[in-house]
Amino acid sequence: MAQYDIIAATGCPTGIAHTFMAKEALEKAAAERGLTIKVETHGQVGIENELTRGEIASARAVVVAADKDVQAERFAGKPMVSVGVSKALSVEEAGKLIDRALAAKGDASAVAAVAEDDDLEEKESIGHQIYKHLMNGVSHMLVFVVAGGVLTAISFLWGITSYDSTASDYNSFAAMLKIIGGIAMNLMVPVLSAYIAESIGKRPALVPGFVAGMIAIQGLPVNAETGLIDAGGSGVGFGFLGGIVGGFLSGYTIVLLEKVFSKIPESLNGLKAIFLYPLCSTAIVGLVMLGISGPMAAINQGMMDFLQGLSSSGPVVLGLAIGCMCAFDMGGPVNKAAYTTGTLLLGTALEAGVGTETYNFGTNFMAAVSAACIVPPLITTFAVIVGKKYFSQEDHDAGIVNLILGCTHITEGAIPFMTKNIIPVMPIMMIGSSIASILTIFFNVHDPAPHGGFLVLPVVENGPLWVLAILIGTVVGGVLFTAFKKYDYDKNAKKAAEQPVLETAGTATAAVKAAPAAQAPQTTDFVKPEQVFVGESFASRDELLTFVSKKAVEQGIAQDADELMSAFIAREDMGTTGMTDNFAIPHAKSTTVTNAAVMAIKTSDIAGWETLDQKPVEVAIALLIPDTEAGTTHLKLLSKVAEALMDDEFRSAVKGTDDAATIAKLINDRLNA
């Protein structure tokens, strides 16, 4: 059974991006500290990398970074930190969470590291508990909204009234799609209510939660003739606000009933679960929900009137509000508030029917929200293409990937760019998103689908103008972002030219004044010809790493071959260092390494080394880093080597020569580029 220093669970409302960004950040932060970690993710496809009881029991501490229920009760008694998922999206913040978790256990070094941290409270705040319960409901609800909204939108391809058997554009298949989509959308509020309740009161709370959601849809039925409560009458629903209230009411009703029935003998636990809890909770919640239906309907109508009033103030006011909310935290609570409001207004719009004022407002609002969510990732794509030299290779690659994320309505791809420079990147993103929202409203765009980005373009009314609005917001934001990166790049270059530059060379670190412009810059030979081995033969990955560890000790780079080998293997256990095209980058950070160095080995095929393209390893470029340089020299060398391996000419040159001095020069040139 594997044992881990840290175990963690991550989860966000949509389970698309934040969940896995937090996982990656926690893994990197743990690796920097020399700790082993296993992260369980609660994404849209369910639980992955699930923690076992043994792993939980043997772990030193627990980190929960989630905005939904991740069954944290499993970790009872363990030193634990529980925060929202947005608190673990950067390696730095994730590292702080790990330090806090260790500090809670009384680890002396960890306590010292966080002694000045004002946010050392380990108990989950009431505010975050409420938000987590709410987001658990939202995360389960969104898939119904997306499925129902998109199917309903597709039905419009045959005509706006193609579902109506009396209309001239009637189509039976379109009618069936609209029926299915409508059923999915109608489940939105009951599912929201039920899973808010489930987050609080666990499984017993599902029954009253669903009932509360259904009551929120239909309201209190009243007979039109008698004016009295009548099961056959009709009522005024109070929508998603009622679903939220019903969810919390149901959850805490179960918590209360658990206390009330706590003295019942354990032998009757089955009776409680199957009879007492559902019966009593449904009766209590149902009566309360029906009793508050009048005030809740008034509040719900008041909110709709407020939003429509905001719309009557003009596209600028409403679009500015939507754009700023969507770009404020890139998929976080504020963004989700805007998006959830849009989806719920869309549900009301589709229920009201095409051509109604409610439909026009809801679909226009949804189009503005979608535009605002699409723009931030596209801004980063524009910037890394136009201002490529101002970005690292890692940022450039991430920006290109954001083209796909942005076009499919996944805002979170822009988060890594914003976290590096919150000011002014956040305002820049807000400006771009606001411009897109304002123009979308101004162009009278209507989007009957709640998600999908440009994939649902065929069902968007005034789609070309929608794309134009998004492109304008992207270009404006992209130009501003590029200008900022250029300013930052020029400032850092000027600072580097005026101040001493620290160089790591062999066993010494020397401060060297910046050279005059006409003078060649100083370089560092991280890899020497005697550290290049050609023609060696190894039966396995471990045999090669053992060879490297022994040679490092022989050359005075490290002191203990066994300890160095353990560091190599620990890194491989976290994920293979086998790359593509027959290359691998094994690396070890250890106290046994005396000075940063690089060793290169050309060998016959090593088939047992897992690589990204499943090809055998022929060239290994091994990085040996002192533990004290884990966050500096290590990151520099690793990024430089990874960048070099993306260059076809570099790979071909290394493969094409067996001369140790030539290979050393090829690698050093890249490391000093």
Side-chain angles (χ1 to χ4, degrees), residues 200 205 208 246-260 277 280-282 284-285 288:
I200 300 168
F248 281 100
L249 174 63
S250 301
Y252 287 114
T253 296
I254 290 295
V255 173
L256 176 62
L257 290 176
E258 286 176 344
K259 293 181 179 179
V260 171
Y277 285 150
C280 297
S281 63
T282 300
I284 294 170
V285 170
V288 173

PDB file of all heavy atoms in Angstrom, residues 200 205 208 246-260 277 280-282 284-285 288:
ATOM      1  N   ILE A 200     -25.438  19.162   2.973  1.00  0.00           N
ATOM      2  CA  ILE A 200     -25.576  19.457   4.403  1.00  0.00           C
ATOM      3  C   ILE A 200     -25.963  18.208   5.201  1.00  0.00           C
ATOM      4  O   ILE A 200     -25.323  17.856   6.189  1.00  0.00           O
ATOM      5  CB  ILE A 200     -26.644  20.548   4.627  1.00  0.00           C
ATOM      6  CG1 ILE A 200     -26.269  21.834   3.898  1.00  0.00           C
ATOM      7  CG2 ILE A 200     -26.851  20.805   6.126  1.00  0.00           C
ATOM      8  CD1 ILE A 200     -27.387  22.846   3.831  1.00  0.00           C
ATOM      9  N   ALA A 205     -31.223  13.831   3.140  1.00  0.00           N
ATOM     10  CA  ALA A 205     -31.742  15.158   2.790  1.00  0.00           C
ATOM     11  C   ALA A 205     -32.190  15.261   1.339  1.00  0.00           C
ATOM     12  O   ALA A 205     -32.797  16.263   0.948  1.00  0.00           O
ATOM     13  CB  ALA A 205     -30.679  16.220   3.078  1.00  0.00           C
ATOM     14  N   PRO A 208     -36.455  15.494   1.007  1.00  0.00           N
ATOM     15  CA  PRO A 208     -37.073  16.807   1.208  1.00  0.00           C
ATOM     16  C   PRO A 208     -36.495  17.852   0.247  1.00  0.00           C
ATOM     17  O   PRO A 208     -37.201  18.805  -0.133  1.00  0.00           O
ATOM     18  CB  PRO A 208     -36.738  17.147   2.662  1.00  0.00           C
ATOM     19  CG  PRO A 208     -35.527  16.334   2.982  1.00  0.00           C
ATOM     20  CD  PRO A 208     -35.711  15.056   2.210  1.00  0.00           C
ATOM     21  N   GLY A 246     -35.043  26.250  -0.219  1.00  0.00           N
ATOM     22  CA  GLY A 246     -35.514  24.899   0.069  1.00  0.00           C
ATOM     23  C   GLY A 246     -34.379  23.929   0.323  1.00  0.00           C
ATOM     24  O   GLY A 246     -34.489  23.033   1.174  1.00  0.00           O
ATOM     25  N   GLY A 247     -33.278  24.098  -0.401  1.00  0.00           N
ATOM     26  CA  GLY A 247     -32.131  23.223  -0.202  1.00  0.00           C
ATOM     27  C   GLY A 247     -31.528  23.353   1.177  1.00  0.00           C
ATOM     28  O   GLY A 247     -31.267  22.356   1.868  1.00  0.00           O
ATOM     29  N   PHE A 248     -31.309  24.586   1.603  1.00  0.00           N
ATOM     30  CA  PHE A 248     -30.733  24.805   2.941  1.00  0.00           C
ATOM     31  C   PHE A 248     -31.723  24.383   4.026  1.00  0.00           C
ATOM     32  O   PHE A 248     -31.339  23.793   5.044  1.00  0.00           O
ATOM     33  CB  PHE A 248     -30.340  26.272   3.117  1.00  0.00           C
ATOM     34  CG  PHE A 248     -29.039  26.620   2.459  1.00  0.00           C
ATOM     35  CD1 PHE A 248     -29.016  27.257   1.235  1.00  0.00           C
ATOM     36  CD2 PHE A 248     -27.832  26.302   3.057  1.00  0.00           C
ATOM     37  CE1 PHE A 248     -27.810  27.567   0.604  1.00  0.00           C
ATOM     38  CE2 PHE A 248     -26.623  26.608   2.452  1.00  0.00           C
ATOM     39  CZ  PHE A 248     -26.606  27.237   1.218  1.00  0.00           C
ATOM     40  N   LEU A 249     -33.006  24.681   3.807  1.00  0.00           N
ATOM     41  CA  LEU A 249     -34.029  24.292   4.775  1.00  0.00           C
ATOM     42  C   LEU A 249     -34.060  22.771   4.941  1.00  0.00           C
ATOM     43  O   LEU A 249     -34.089  22.255   6.058  1.00  0.00           O
ATOM     44  CB  LEU A 249     -35.393  24.807   4.318  1.00  0.00           C
ATOM     45  CG  LEU A 249     -36.602  24.375   5.147  1.00  0.00           C
ATOM     46  CD1 LEU A 249     -36.504  24.917   6.572  1.00  0.00           C
ATOM     47  CD2 LEU A 249     -37.907  24.848   4.487  1.00  0.00           C
ATOM     48  N   SER A 250     -34.009  22.060   3.832  1.00  0.00           N
ATOM     49  CA  SER A 250     -34.058  20.594   3.877  1.00  0.00           C
ATOM     50  C   SER A 250     -32.835  20.015   4.566  1.00  0.00           C
ATOM     51  O   SER A 250     -32.943  19.091   5.398  1.00  0.00           O
ATOM     52  CB  SER A 250     -34.157  20.036   2.448  1.00  0.00           C
ATOM     53  OG  SER A 250     -35.305  20.515   1.792  1.00  0.00           O
ATOM     54  N   GLY A 251     -31.655  20.532   4.221  1.00  0.00           N
ATOM     55  CA  GLY A 251     -30.423  20.018   4.811  1.00  0.00           C
ATOM     56  C   GLY A 251     -30.384  20.186   6.311  1.00  0.00           C
ATOM     57  O   GLY A 251     -30.069  19.229   7.054  1.00  0.00           O
ATOM     58  N   TYR A 252     -30.710  21.377   6.771  1.00  0.00           N
ATOM     59  CA  TYR A 252     -30.632  21.626   8.214  1.00  0.00           C
ATOM     60  C   TYR A 252     -31.802  21.005   8.969  1.00  0.00           C
ATOM     61  O   TYR A 252     -31.706  20.759  10.180  1.00  0.00           O
ATOM     62  CB  TYR A 252     -30.538  23.131   8.472  1.00  0.00           C
ATOM     63  CG  TYR A 252     -29.175  23.680   8.100  1.00  0.00           C
ATOM     64  CD1 TYR A 252     -29.025  24.582   7.054  1.00  0.00           C
ATOM     65  CD2 TYR A 252     -28.029  23.248   8.763  1.00  0.00           C
ATOM     66  CE1 TYR A 252     -27.768  25.061   6.700  1.00  0.00           C
ATOM     67  CE2 TYR A 252     -26.779  23.712   8.413  1.00  0.00           C
ATOM     68  CZ  TYR A 252     -26.649  24.624   7.380  1.00  0.00           C
ATOM     69  OH  TYR A 252     -25.411  25.079   7.031  1.00  0.00           O
ATOM     70  N   THR A 253     -32.906  20.721   8.265  1.00  0.00           N
ATOM     71  CA  THR A 253     -33.996  19.980   8.905  1.00  0.00           C
ATOM     72  C   THR A 253     -33.539  18.565   9.234  1.00  0.00           C
ATOM     73  O   THR A 253     -33.835  18.031  10.316  1.00  0.00           O
ATOM     74  CB  THR A 253     -35.228  19.937   7.982  1.00  0.00           C
ATOM     75  OG1 THR A 253     -35.723  21.260   7.794  1.00  0.00           O
ATOM     76  CG2 THR A 253     -36.333  19.071   8.589  1.00  0.00           C
ATOM     77  N   ILE A 254     -32.800  17.956   8.322  1.00  0.00           N
ATOM     78  CA  ILE A 254     -32.260  16.610   8.570  1.00  0.00           C
ATOM     79  C   ILE A 254     -31.270  16.650   9.732  1.00  0.00           C
ATOM     80  O   ILE A 254     -31.273  15.749  10.603  1.00  0.00           O
ATOM     81  CB  ILE A 254     -31.593  16.047   7.310  1.00  0.00           C
ATOM     82  CG1 ILE A 254     -32.644  15.717   6.249  1.00  0.00           C
ATOM     83  CG2 ILE A 254     -30.752  14.818   7.632  1.00  0.00           C
ATOM     84  CD1 ILE A 254     -33.590  14.599   6.642  1.00  0.00           C
ATOM     85  N   VAL A 255     -30.422  17.664   9.780  1.00  0.00           N
ATOM     86  CA  VAL A 255     -29.464  17.796  10.889  1.00  0.00           C
ATOM     87  C   VAL A 255     -30.216  17.880  12.211  1.00  0.00           C
ATOM     88  O   VAL A 255     -29.828  17.253  13.211  1.00  0.00           O
ATOM     89  CB  VAL A 255     -28.578  19.046  10.695  1.00  0.00           C
ATOM     90  CG1 VAL A 255     -27.711  19.287  11.936  1.00  0.00           C
ATOM     91  CG2 VAL A 255     -27.689  18.876   9.462  1.00  0.00           C
ATOM     92  N   LEU A 256     -31.314  18.655  12.235  1.00  0.00           N
ATOM     93  CA  LEU A 256     -32.129  18.792  13.443  1.00  0.00           C
ATOM     94  C   LEU A 256     -32.779  17.461  13.815  1.00  0.00           C
ATOM     95  O   LEU A 256     -32.774  17.053  14.990  1.00  0.00           O
ATOM     96  CB  LEU A 256     -33.205  19.858  13.224  1.00  0.00           C
ATOM     97  CG  LEU A 256     -34.202  20.056  14.375  1.00  0.00           C
ATOM     98  CD1 LEU A 256     -33.482  20.529  15.633  1.00  0.00           C
ATOM     99  CD2 LEU A 256     -35.293  21.056  13.969  1.00  0.00           C
ATOM    100  N   LEU A 257     -33.325  16.756  12.813  1.00  0.00           N
ATOM    101  CA  LEU A 257     -33.991  15.480  13.096  1.00  0.00           C
ATOM    102  C   LEU A 257     -33.006  14.433  13.591  1.00  0.00           C
ATOM    103  O   LEU A 257     -33.356  13.575  14.410  1.00  0.00           O
ATOM    104  CB  LEU A 257     -34.699  14.975  11.832  1.00  0.00           C
ATOM    105  CG  LEU A 257     -35.933  15.766  11.398  1.00  0.00           C
ATOM    106  CD1 LEU A 257     -36.479  15.227  10.088  1.00  0.00           C
ATOM    107  CD2 LEU A 257     -37.018  15.722  12.482  1.00  0.00           C
ATOM    108  N   GLU A 258     -31.772  14.484  13.118  1.00  0.00           N
ATOM    109  CA  GLU A 258     -30.754  13.547  13.602  1.00  0.00           C
ATOM    110  C   GLU A 258     -30.527  13.723  15.100  1.00  0.00           C
ATOM    111  O   GLU A 258     -30.325  12.744  15.836  1.00  0.00           O
ATOM    112  CB  GLU A 258     -29.443  13.753  12.835  1.00  0.00           C
ATOM    113  CG  GLU A 258     -29.479  13.215  11.413  1.00  0.00           C
ATOM    114  CD  GLU A 258     -28.202  13.520  10.657  1.00  0.00           C
ATOM    115  OE1 GLU A 258     -27.427  14.401  11.114  1.00  0.00           O
ATOM    116  OE2 GLU A 258     -27.969  12.902   9.601  1.00  0.00           O
ATOM    117  N   LYS A 259     -30.563  14.978  15.550  1.00  0.00           N
ATOM    118  CA  LYS A 259     -30.417  15.237  16.983  1.00  0.00           C
ATOM    119  C   LYS A 259     -31.663  14.790  17.750  1.00  0.00           C
ATOM    120  O   LYS A 259     -31.573  14.209  18.839  1.00  0.00           O
ATOM    121  CB  LYS A 259     -30.149  16.720  17.213  1.00  0.00           C
ATOM    122  CG  LYS A 259     -28.801  17.189  16.672  1.00  0.00           C
ATOM    123  CD  LYS A 259     -28.571  18.665  16.958  1.00  0.00           C
ATOM    124  CE  LYS A 259     -27.212  19.111  16.445  1.00  0.00           C
ATOM    125  NZ  LYS A 259     -26.965  20.558  16.699  1.00  0.00           N
ATOM    126  N   VAL A 260     -32.838  15.060  17.154  1.00  0.00           N
ATOM    127  CA  VAL A 260     -34.089  14.685  17.823  1.00  0.00           C
ATOM    128  C   VAL A 260     -34.195  13.171  17.987  1.00  0.00           C
ATOM    129  O   VAL A 260     -34.627  12.657  19.040  1.00  0.00           O
ATOM    130  CB  VAL A 260     -35.299  15.217  17.024  1.00  0.00           C
ATOM    131  CG1 VAL A 260     -36.611  14.644  17.595  1.00  0.00           C
ATOM    132  CG2 VAL A 260     -35.329  16.744  17.063  1.00  0.00           C
ATOM    133  N   TYR A 277     -36.992   9.814   8.821  1.00  0.00           N
ATOM    134  CA  TYR A 277     -36.357  10.964   8.176  1.00  0.00           C
ATOM    135  C   TYR A 277     -37.134  11.456   6.956  1.00  0.00           C
ATOM    136  O   TYR A 277     -37.459  12.649   6.856  1.00  0.00           O
ATOM    137  CB  TYR A 277     -34.913  10.633   7.780  1.00  0.00           C
ATOM    138  CG  TYR A 277     -33.948  10.591   8.945  1.00  0.00           C
ATOM    139  CD1 TYR A 277     -32.829   9.761   8.915  1.00  0.00           C
ATOM    140  CD2 TYR A 277     -34.146  11.372  10.079  1.00  0.00           C
ATOM    141  CE1 TYR A 277     -31.932   9.715   9.973  1.00  0.00           C
ATOM    142  CE2 TYR A 277     -33.262  11.329  11.151  1.00  0.00           C
ATOM    143  CZ  TYR A 277     -32.155  10.495  11.099  1.00  0.00           C
ATOM    144  OH  TYR A 277     -31.291  10.450  12.159  1.00  0.00           O
ATOM    145  N   CYS A 280     -40.884  12.819   8.170  1.00  0.00           N
ATOM    146  CA  CYS A 280     -40.901  14.041   8.984  1.00  0.00           C
ATOM    147  C   CYS A 280     -40.291  15.225   8.233  1.00  0.00           C
ATOM    148  O   CYS A 280     -40.828  16.338   8.251  1.00  0.00           O
ATOM    149  CB  CYS A 280     -40.156  13.810  10.296  1.00  0.00           C
ATOM    150  SG  CYS A 280     -40.910  12.554  11.354  1.00  0.00           S
ATOM    151  N   SER A 281     -39.157  14.982   7.573  1.00  0.00           N
ATOM    152  CA  SER A 281     -38.492  16.091   6.880  1.00  0.00           C
ATOM    153  C   SER A 281     -39.338  16.606   5.723  1.00  0.00           C
ATOM    154  O   SER A 281     -39.438  17.828   5.506  1.00  0.00           O
ATOM    155  CB  SER A 281     -37.119  15.657   6.364  1.00  0.00           C
ATOM    156  OG  SER A 281     -37.229  14.631   5.395  1.00  0.00           O
ATOM    157  N   THR A 282     -39.960  15.709   4.970  1.00  0.00           N
ATOM    158  CA  THR A 282     -40.787  16.142   3.835  1.00  0.00           C
ATOM    159  C   THR A 282     -41.987  16.944   4.312  1.00  0.00           C
ATOM    160  O   THR A 282     -42.355  17.965   3.718  1.00  0.00           O
ATOM    161  CB  THR A 282     -41.240  14.916   3.010  1.00  0.00           C
ATOM    162  OG1 THR A 282     -40.098  14.221   2.528  1.00  0.00           O
ATOM    163  CG2 THR A 282     -42.093  15.356   1.830  1.00  0.00           C
ATOM    164  N   ILE A 284     -42.267  18.683   7.184  1.00  0.00           N
ATOM    165  CA  ILE A 284     -41.814  19.971   7.728  1.00  0.00           C
ATOM    166  C   ILE A 284     -41.416  20.928   6.604  1.00  0.00           C
ATOM    167  O   ILE A 284     -41.867  22.069   6.534  1.00  0.00           O
ATOM    168  CB  ILE A 284     -40.638  19.762   8.702  1.00  0.00           C
ATOM    169  CG1 ILE A 284     -41.090  18.989   9.935  1.00  0.00           C
ATOM    170  CG2 ILE A 284     -40.031  21.108   9.114  1.00  0.00           C
ATOM    171  CD1 ILE A 284     -39.949  18.530  10.837  1.00  0.00           C
ATOM    172  N   VAL A 285     -40.548  20.442   5.728  1.00  0.00           N
ATOM    173  CA  VAL A 285     -40.044  21.299   4.640  1.00  0.00           C
ATOM    174  C   VAL A 285     -41.182  21.699   3.708  1.00  0.00           C
ATOM    175  O   VAL A 285     -41.280  22.861   3.288  1.00  0.00           O
ATOM    176  CB  VAL A 285     -38.929  20.566   3.860  1.00  0.00           C
ATOM    177  CG1 VAL A 285     -38.570  21.328   2.586  1.00  0.00           C
ATOM    178  CG2 VAL A 285     -37.698  20.399   4.741  1.00  0.00           C
ATOM    179  N   VAL A 288     -43.372  24.438   5.300  1.00  0.00           N
ATOM    180  CA  VAL A 288     -42.671  25.722   5.346  1.00  0.00           C
ATOM    181  C   VAL A 288     -42.575  26.340   3.949  1.00  0.00           C
ATOM    182  O   VAL A 288     -42.816  27.535   3.764  1.00  0.00           O
ATOM    183  CB  VAL A 288     -41.268  25.547   5.960  1.00  0.00           C
ATOM    184  CG1 VAL A 288     -40.481  26.861   5.840  1.00  0.00           C
ATOM    185  CG2 VAL A 288     -41.365  25.122   7.416  1.00  0.00           C
TER     186      VAL A 288
END
